[in-house]
Amino acid sequence: MITYADACRVLNESRGDAVAVTTMTQTKYWNQVSQEPDLDIGIANGMSKASSVALGIALGDSERSVFCLDADGSLLMNFGALATIAGMAPKNLYHFVFNNGIYSVTGGQPLPSPNVEYAKAAEACGYAAAFKFDDIESLDSALPEILSSAGPILIEIIIKGEPQAEGVDQTWESNAQMPLQLRALRKRLTGNDDWGPGGPFI
Amino acid sequence: MQHKATVTSLINGVLHPKNVVAQLVELGVSHYVTLPDSETAHMYKALMAEPSITLVPVSREGEAIPVAAGLFVAGQNPVVSIQNAGLYEAGDALRGLALGIGLPLVMFIGYRGHNRMGDTPDTAAKYLEPFLHMWRVDYFVVESDDDLDRVPVAFERAAKTNQPFAVAIGTEYAKESSEELGGE
């Protein structure tokens, strides 16, 4: 079983200049290791939709790798995205699914089924490849070859659950942060600072 | 006394997909993110014949706005096309990833059940305009080619306000021949 901190550390070491779309507990740990905040988006105000946002970025900038640090509960809420991603087949999309079998941010309640095989589901939907890791050494050693292969690739990571006793730390502050992150990312990807204010936060 | 409702459509004129596609091309649309529905089937065919616009089919309408948000962030110019019933399913995505981030996005919404009489047995139609008002999404209704001058205005309004803008398609797209779509 792998910890969030270790998983995010090794993914960050292999990141290069990839965009990182994160959600839920992954965002907290990713923010502790990322050296490229202008290439990060923490999806806090878009329930379960990190993989769909990542798909859009991957299609829109096909020259740059896109990491999606998804959660098992989030993916279950947006399961059709596996078929959508497979159908569009973005070669630059690497879909990491952190599988801990629980809803961490709401206190650790179990998912409807603890036995979903996300890597097998991705393969069945038509991803180019899918892998599953439950120890950090294997993940670390396999990443270079995975990331040099054409996507979309799903990498299921068996994670040690960390249920949050006092709820999630991603409400107002994170919701307000997301529009700013998205504007910073658009500026970084396009070179244009042309997305003005809008919405309730800016 | 019994009243028998008359639900015959009062919409005159025809909406040709090729005319809508021509507008999208002129407006520089790059991606058409959609889940097809019966009213827009012919539009789908017309888009498949247009090489400058990439079709992005999604499995569920709630994916469409997040995919479009990602495309926009990457510098593209997407639109979304989903049915009114699908828009209701996509409500949280509309809230968080369009209204919540100030996304200038034109959404083509199939106005299933629309008959211009107000009273319709189809609740998908009954709730559309109240839904858009409640979410503070401005919109135009397009029922025929005569209304297509509203489409560029929708794009201008979305860009000016940094908010989503809906174009409610109030009729079924007309069927066009393969010759009209550029086929053989």
Side-chain angles (χ1 to χ4, degrees):
Chain A
M1 208 168 274
I2 301 172
T3 65
Y4 282 101
D6 280 346
C8 288
R9 175 179 54 77
V10 300
L11 297 188
N12 182 58
E13 288 169 359
S14 298
R15 176 214 195 138
D17 66 353
V19 170
V21 182
T22 65
T23 192
M24 299 297 166
T25 307
Q26 293 81 261
T27 300
K28 171 181 158 186
Y29 285 95
W30 184 257
N31 289 345
Q32 292 173 7
V33 297
S34 172
Q35 305 294 313
E36 294 274 10
D38 282 357
L39 290 172
D40 297 338
I41 301 173
I43 300 296
N45 201 4
M47 190 164 57
S48 76
K49 297 302 189 295
S51 56
S52 299
V53 174
L55 171 62
I57 296 170
L59 294 174
D61 189 348
S62 58
E63 299 301 313
R64 186 186 292 269
S65 293
V66 176
F67 285 10
C68 177
L69 275 61
D70 208 352
D72 49 1
S74 298
L75 182 55
L76 283 180
M77 294 173 73
N78 195 30
F79 218 45
L82 291 178
T84 303
I85 290 168
M88 294 307 296
K91 291 181 166 52
N92 55 334
L93 181 57
Y94 302 92
H95 189 176
F96 300 91
V97 178
F98 286 55
N99 177 356
N100 61 13
I102 60 173
Y103 296 111
S104 295
V105 300
T106 56
Q109 302 88 343
L111 298 187
S113 169
N115 301 317
V116 178
E117 296 277 359
Y118 299 96
K120 288 182 180 176
E123 277 191 330
C125 285
Y127 272 53
F131 302 89
K132 182 176 181 178
F133 297 98
D134 61 6
D135 70 87
I136 192 66
E137 292 78 16
S138 299
L139 173 64
D140 195 16
S141 63
L143 266 180
E145 186 174 344
I146 291 172
L147 297 176
S148 65
S149 304
I153 296 177
L154 187 141
I155 305 97
E156 180 180 352
I157 303 172
I158 304 301
I159 285 285
K160 183 175 185 296
E162 294 183 15
Q164 296 181 26
E166 297 179 1
V168 65
D169 59 350
Q170 61 164 32
T171 50
W172 287 106
E173 186 178 343
S174 297
N175 289 350
Q177 190 65 22
M178 189 171 70
L180 300 173
Q181 285 186 311
L182 289 164
R183 282 161 174 77
L185 179 58
R186 179 175 160 93
K187 182 180 176 183
R188 176 76 178 265
L189 296 182
T190 68
N192 298 319
D193 190 9
D194 59 355
W195 187 3
F201 300 110
I202 55 175
Chain B
M1 178 184 282
Q2 282 191 321
H3 294 276
K4 187 175 179 181
T6 302
V7 293
T8 305
S9 173
L10 298 176
I11 298 166
N12 296 313
V14 175
L15 182 59
H16 287 94
K18 65 178 181 182
N19 294 337
V20 181
V21 172
Q23 279 198 320
L24 298 183
V25 171
E26 192 171 329
L27 289 161
V29 168
S30 61
H31 295 75
Y32 190 87
V33 187
T34 187
L35 201 154
D37 60 276
S38 52
E39 285 80 9
T40 62
H42 300 309
M43 180 66 179
Y44 197 93
K45 279 185 184 172
L47 279 160
M48 287 178 70
E50 173 48 56
S52 71
I53 298 176
T54 301
L55 266 173
V56 184
V58 294
S59 305
R60 190 76 165 129
E61 289 89 344
E63 299 170 41
I65 290 171
V67 170
L71 284 162
F72 178 77
V73 165
Q76 303 295 326
N77 187 24
V79 296
V80 158
S81 175
I82 55 179
Q83 196 183 60
N84 45 7
L87 179 65
Y88 311 144
E89 192 277 332
D92 188 65
L94 172 63
R95 178 197 63 80
L97 286 161
L99 297 165
I101 63 173
L103 184 67
L105 174 69
V106 173
M107 307 182 296
F108 290 83
I109 307 298
Y111 202 158
R112 193 191 85 193
H114 175 58
N115 62 16
R116 234 190 210 189
M117 297 176 66
D119 185 19
T120 168
D122 190 340
T123 55
K126 190 185 291 285
Y127 299 140
L128 179 59
E129 294 188 55
F131 179 96
L132 293 170
H133 285 295
M134 185 187 79
W135 289 73
R136 300 178 186 173
V137 175
D138 290 332
Y139 65 94
F140 293 131
V141 178
V142 167
E143 296 173 326
S144 74
D145 291 341
D146 292 341
D147 302 328
L148 285 178
D149 57 353
R150 297 171 188 169
V151 173
V153 179
F155 279 79
E156 289 170 17
R157 292 276 297 275
K160 186 175 179 182
T161 61
N162 283 318
Q163 287 294 296
F165 197 102
V167 176
I169 301 296
T171 187
E172 187 173 337
Y173 284 101
K175 184 177 182 181
E176 290 172 325
S177 67
S178 59
E179 287 81 9
E180 288 175 304
L181 297 177
E184 297 185 5

